């Protein structure tokens, strides 16, 4: 089955700095890669996703890059703000399984200091 | 989009009690999931359902059971709670056919004393 590794487990940055979270996956059939943000006391919420036919996707201050050859993808947050503090999860899913299940990374706790 | 409701949000009970965590959705989506989230943040899939009368076990073995008698409801039951069951339980639905996006509820935090 799929295995998703996520690093780092914790990340502390100053407000205004950039933050990068990296994930690797094992199943070459995986072709859908979402990122979720989980704020304290809430469920995870999708913030951005990318499919394997695209190398990069941006949405305002967040971007995701995908390297299919190396089987890794990354989340980039620029101009971080205190409200970006949360736990971030990467995940992978395959069209071969009908996108029925997501395999999650172990999460990264991002702390943005004012 | 999906509106997912989980109750109770917080529950503190004693060992040996039977508990049911409720999960309901209003949009009629077939695919629903239960995840267990340990204090270390990691999400573990424990049960899923692809429709009425369909339930499957997930990647992480769990002593809990689920049922799907109606499309709208996907309750999770622990017959005899133990301290090791203390965790956050998250319910999710997958509305899309060609996407893996999940919509999560806000979770039920269970503490077993």
């Amino acid at each position: 089955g799929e295995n998703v590794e996520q690093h780092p487990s914790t990340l502390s940055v100053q407000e205004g700095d950039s933050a990068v979270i990296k994930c690797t996956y094992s199943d070459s059939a995986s072709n859908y890669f979402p990122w979720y943000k989980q704020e304290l006391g809430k469920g995870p919420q999708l913030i951005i996703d990318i499919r394997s036919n695209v190398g990069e996707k941006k949405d305002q201050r967040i971007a995701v890059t995908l390297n299919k050859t190396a089987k890794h993808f990354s989340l980039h947050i620029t101009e971080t703000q205190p409200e970006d503090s949360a736990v971030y999860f990467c995940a992978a899913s395959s069209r071969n399984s009908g996108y029925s299940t997501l395999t999650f990374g172990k999460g990264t706790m991002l702390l943005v200091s004012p | 989009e999906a509106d997912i409701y989980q109750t109770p949000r917080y529950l503190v009970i004693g060992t040996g009690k039977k508990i049911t965590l409720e999960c309901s959705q209003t949009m009629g989506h077939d695919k629903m999931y239960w995840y267990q989230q340990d204090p270390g943040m990691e999400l573990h899939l424990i049960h899923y359902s692809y429709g009425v009368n369909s339930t499957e076990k997930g990647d992480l073995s769990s002593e809990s059971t689920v049922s799907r008698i109606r499309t709208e409801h996907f309750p999770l039951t622990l017959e005899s709670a133990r301290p090791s069951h203390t965790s956050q339980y998250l319910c999710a639905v997958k509305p899309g056919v060609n996407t893996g996006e999940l919509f999560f509820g806000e979770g039920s935090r269970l503490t077993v004393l």
Side-chain angles (χ1 to χ4, degrees), chain A residues 29-34 36 49-53 91-103, chain B residues 31 33 35 45 48 50 93-102:
Chain A
S30 289
N31 56 3
Y32 174 69
F33 307 95
Y36 284 80
D49 56 14
I50 191 168
R51 296 184 183 276
S52 59
N53 59 348
S93 183
S94 170
R95 183 177 57 189
N96 291 349
S97 65
Y99 302 112
S100 294
T101 57
L102 283 175
T103 301
Chain B
K31 295 185 178 178
Y33 304 80
Y35 283 84
L45 178 65
Y48 60 97
Y50 290 165
V93 299
K94 191 173 90 69
V97 175
N98 295 317
T99 173
E101 181 176 1
L102 293 179

Side-chain angles (χ1 to χ4, degrees), chain B residues 4-17:
Chain B
I4 307 159
Y5 305 97
Q6 288 190 244
T7 58
R9 289 291 315 279
Y10 303 94
L11 181 62
V12 181
I13 60 168
T15 297
K17 299 292 186 182

